[in-house]
Each structure stands twice: as structure tokens, then as C-alpha cells.
Amino acid sequence: MDPATYSIILPAYNESARIAATLEKILAHGTQRGWNLEVIVVDDGSIDGTAELVRGYASKHSALRLLENPGNRGKGYSVRNGMLHAKGDILLFSDADLSSPIEEADKLFAAMAQGAEIAIGSRWVDPRLQIRRQPLHRRLFGRIFNLALRIILGLQFKDTQCGFKAFTRRSAQTIFPLQKIERWGFDPEVLFLAKQFGFAVREVPVAWSHREGTRINPLRDGIRMFGELLRVRWYAFKGNYTAAKVVTERL
């Protein structure tokens, strides 16, 4: 059998200050592990030269390529764009700041080798792995949001929002064409669809460190994310996902 190929997707918005270091770490780890690797940076309408920097970097590294969104569309749109253009057997998306070090991908891939079709990094399965925790107000918002998604979507994961998730090609090609949420609330929708389709999801404890410069506003974006949970439930109630599921299963 041919060795597995890996796609690492990095959604990026105004990441010129740290994207080069991130790319160096990913490429170095991929080389060390002997991965057949592609790295896809999805630029979300950056205005700080992120795209130009990545384009120049890609000219020297054949494993790297750049996708550019039509303006600023959101993290969910960026992840979906990268997933739908990826060529790997295993597809992982990570935050561009590597809040979870790329070495933690080995844990996700090991879970998939043991039968998981989706492996999601978690900060709360083993909180001792957190190198630097979020501020208290962010943690409080996270716990309230987690309770809401348990009630509204029936998801029982400890952490849906960690930006470190891996998918088999089959699960990615099934889920991401159906994804509708384009901003911060896309993670619960993706996991809700995984549940709808019966994919085996493993929650894996990973090392994680809070990074300064996060663009999420707990109040404004929190209200929007709660609304997006209700939208996912509404789409499911209307049968949008069910109809798509039937079509997909016939392919």
C-alpha cells in the first residue's frame, strides 16, 4: 500500500507576523516524521501582506500552496475552502498560531489509526496539558457555550472549539460540502453532521497554550455563536441535512 498523505490546512487572517514560523515548524515536523505532506494556507482577505508572504514562501517549498478567499468570509469558510481543495488521505486543520503544537497531530493520527474517522483536539479532557490557560472570562464563556451545545445539539464533547481537528478523506468529503456556518460557530455544525452521519469521533487530549491577539469578542461573537447553534438545529429540523444525507449515501 502507498503511504498515507497528509493535508494540513491553516486558516489565516492578518498572520504575517507569525505565519512563517508556523510553516517552518510544520514542514520540519513533516520531514522528521516522513509524511507525504501538503500544507494549505487559506488567506481570509488579509490586509497585512499575509498572502504575499505565503506566496513567496510557496515558491521555495513545493509542499505549500495558498488559497485566497473572496474577501473576509470567516474561519469556517476558510476551513471548508481548504478541506474541499485538499488532496490528502488525512486532513487536519490547525489555528495559524499553533496554539496546539504540530507535534500533537501525532496523537490525532494515532487515534485515527485505531479506527476514529474524526479526531478532535481537546483542552479539557486533560486540563493539565494546558501550558497557558485562557483568561477567566474566556473560560467561563466556553463552559456556558459547551452547556448550550449539549442542550441544543446533543453534543457531549468536553471541547468543540479547539482549533485542531483531523478527518479522514471520506468524512471530510461528506461533511464539509454541507457546512453552512462560515464564522466561529462552524465547529459544532461540523461535529453535529459527524454525529448525523455516524462517523466515529474521538476526543483527544492535546497540549495547548493561549495566544495573545485572538480576534474573537466574547460578547459580540458569543451572541452570534449561540444564534448559529439555533440555525444548525433549524436546518436539521427542516430536513436540510437529512435530504443531503440521503443523496450522499446513494453516491
Side-chain angles (χ1 to χ4, degrees), residues 11 15 22 133 144 147 154 157 171 175:
E15 292 287 353
T22 292
R133 292 194 176 189
I144 294 172
L147 177 61
F157 303 106
S171 66
I175 290 170

Side-chain angles (χ1 to χ4, degrees), residues 1 25 34 36 42 59 70 75 88 168 191 198 205 212 225 231-232:
M1 294 178 63
K25 291 174 182 177
N36 185 355
V42 186
S59 67
K75 183 180 178 182
T168 61
L191 294 175
E212 297 297 337
M225 288 167 69
R231 282 175 57 195
V232 172

Side-chain angles (χ1 to χ4, degrees), residues 202-221:
R202 180 83 58 82
E203 190 171 11
V204 180
V206 293
W208 185 87
S209 178
H210 174 68
R211 308 292 190 192
E212 297 297 337
T214 179
R215 298 179 178 87
I216 190 170
N217 180 294
L219 181 59
R220 181 194 65 234
D221 294 313

Side-chain angles (χ1 to χ4, degrees), residues 7-177:
S7 297
I8 311 294
I9 293 120
L10 301 172
Y13 177 68
N14 290 344
E15 292 287 353
S16 63
R18 52 191 177 187
I19 193 67
T22 292
L23 294 174
E24 290 284 359
K25 291 174 182 177
I26 292 173
L27 292 170
H29 185 67
T31 299
Q32 180 186 29
R33 300 295 291 166
W35 291 345
N36 185 355
L37 177 69
E38 69 168 351
V39 181
I40 302 174
V41 177
V42 186
D43 182 71
D44 193 28
S46 299
I47 57 175
D48 70 339
T50 296
E52 290 76 10
L53 189 154
V54 174
R55 193 176 292 110
Y57 209 87
S59 67
K60 304 173 185 177
H61 298 272
S62 59
L64 173 63
R65 58 189 174 115
L66 171 71
L67 295 178
E68 296 182 79
N69 293 343
N72 180 249
R73 296 294 299 269
K75 183 180 178 182
Y77 183 98
S78 300
V79 170
R80 181 179 64 199
N81 192 9
M83 287 283 176
L84 295 181
H85 284 88
K87 301 175 181 177
D89 301 311
I90 304 295
L91 293 72
L92 177 144
F93 76 82
S94 168
D95 289 337
D97 61 7
L98 288 183
S99 296
S100 285
I102 190 58
E103 290 79 7
E104 297 297 277
D106 296 350
K107 297 179 181 178
L108 302 190
F109 298 160
M112 301 178 85
Q114 295 169 4
E117 294 171 279
I118 301 170
I120 64 173
S122 176
R123 298 163 290 188
W124 293 108
V125 169
D126 186 354
R128 295 172 299 177
L129 294 177
Q130 293 188 34
I131 301 165
R132 181 183 180 189
R133 292 194 176 189
Q134 294 176 313
L136 180 59
H137 72 280
R138 292 284 302 277
R139 279 181 272 159
L140 178 61
F141 165 72
R143 295 301 88 198
I144 294 172
F145 184 74
N146 187 266
L147 177 61
L149 64 87
R150 287 170 182 262
I151 295 171
I152 297 172
L153 299 183
L155 298 178
Q156 301 302 312
F157 303 106
K158 292 181 180 294
D159 185 6
T160 62
Q161 301 308 113
C162 182
F164 203 63
K165 296 180 173 67
F167 301 77
T168 61
R169 184 164 191 82
R170 185 174 81 97
S171 66
Q173 289 185 327
T174 301
I175 290 170
F176 285 97

